[in-house]
Amino acid sequence: MASATSLTMGAEIKKEKPWVRFGISPFGLWRPGYPEGTGKGALDPFDAIAADSLKWLRNGWCDYLAPQLYWSIDAPEQSFPALLKWWAGQNTAPRHLWPGLSAATIAPDGRRIAVTRAREQSPELAGKLQAPLMELFPAEGNE
């Protein structure tokens, strides 16, 4: 279901406005165990919600993929650099690959930004996405 929706949505956007970039920000894990040793006990988005984000990336169904990599550098089960490197290795289309970062966790662990900057020599890895915006610019009542 999610794969068919992604393919259809991307095609419709390109038909109407070919200059608009269509991207997806899936779970940071494609499936637990990919890469080896990560995601033990984590939700499997492939099984749970039919989200085959690896298929979307490899088939070029989106202009960019921003896997939600909210974990710290040192997290043993979900290591930010290990997952980013794994996603980069799967990017055979190639498409832009920008890690999705949580604005709420930037200050405690700014090393993730250093990792993304180190990878920006490659055009498809040049960038990152921050979410949610309210974390960067908190308004009264959003705290």
Side-chain angles (χ1 to χ4, degrees), residues 72-133:
S72 72
I73 296 287
D74 304 320
E77 294 297 328
Q78 283 97 347
S79 164
F80 176 84
L83 287 165
L84 182 57
K85 180 180 178 182
W86 183 85
W87 278 109
Q90 309 309 309
N91 191 11
T92 57
R95 295 297 188 209
H96 291 287
L97 180 65
W98 301 322
L101 305 176
S102 170
T105 61
I106 289 175
D109 192 356
R111 294 181 296 164
R112 283 175 287 177
I113 293 177
V115 169
T116 60
R117 286 185 181 147
R119 297 189 179 277
E120 288 178 355
Q121 297 88 10
S122 177
E124 67 272 4
L125 291 176
K128 55 201 148 290
L129 296 178
Q130 304 290 152
L133 188 58

Side-chain angles (χ1 to χ4, degrees), residues 50-82:
D52 192 351
S53 49
L54 183 57
K55 182 177 186 177
W56 307 334
L57 180 64
R58 286 185 173 165
N59 289 335
W61 292 354
C62 54
D63 297 308
Y64 68 87
L65 196 80
Q68 299 169 27
L69 301 178
Y70 299 159
W71 303 286
S72 72
I73 296 287
D74 304 320
E77 294 297 328
Q78 283 97 347
S79 164
F80 176 84

